[in-house]
Amino acid sequence: MSFMNMPILHYSSEIRSAVLLVHGEKAHSCYFSRDAYKNLKGDNKELMLISDAVHTDLYDKTEVIPFDKIKEFFDKNM
């Protein structure tokens, strides 16, 4: 129960590691990634919105998952 009451995004500004947020642009929860991205500090962050995709499209629709861009981000930041 205490986890449910924890405002997780409140602490996102403390993250200093590289962060890649990949989200479907048409997902009902897209605001969550947008808000998290705004709170992150530094220049090692990226918000990748996949046009015409909903949340579940990024589970198994390999044709919409941007594997090349994900690899590029990790190669650069890890």
Side-chain angles (χ1 to χ4, degrees):
M1 193 60 143
S2 62
F3 181 73
M4 292 174 60
N5 291 324
M6 178 67 162
I8 296 172
L9 278 182
H10 180 76
Y11 299 102
S12 59
S13 63
E14 297 179 14
I15 298 172
R16 301 289 180 248
S17 303
V19 175
L20 173 63
L21 300 162
V22 182
H23 216 109
E25 188 176 44
K26 292 187 174 184
H28 71 279
S29 58
C30 190
Y31 74 92
F32 195 80
S33 286
R34 291 177 194 269
D35 291 348
Y37 181 78
K38 289 177 193 173
N39 289 338
L40 294 169
K41 304 294 183 210
D43 60 352
N44 58 349
K45 63 180 184 174
E46 186 173 341
L47 173 59
M48 191 180 301
L49 296 177
I50 311 305
S51 60
D52 296 324
V54 297
H55 181 83
T56 55
D57 289 339
L58 299 174
Y59 289 160
D60 56 6
K61 287 189 176 179
T62 57
E63 68 275 6
V64 300
I65 299 171
F67 293 109
D68 55 337
K69 291 183 180 180
I70 293 169
K71 180 185 181 315
E72 181 181 313
F73 180 85
F74 282 104
D75 286 346
K76 177 183 173 188
N77 293 289
M78 299 297 167

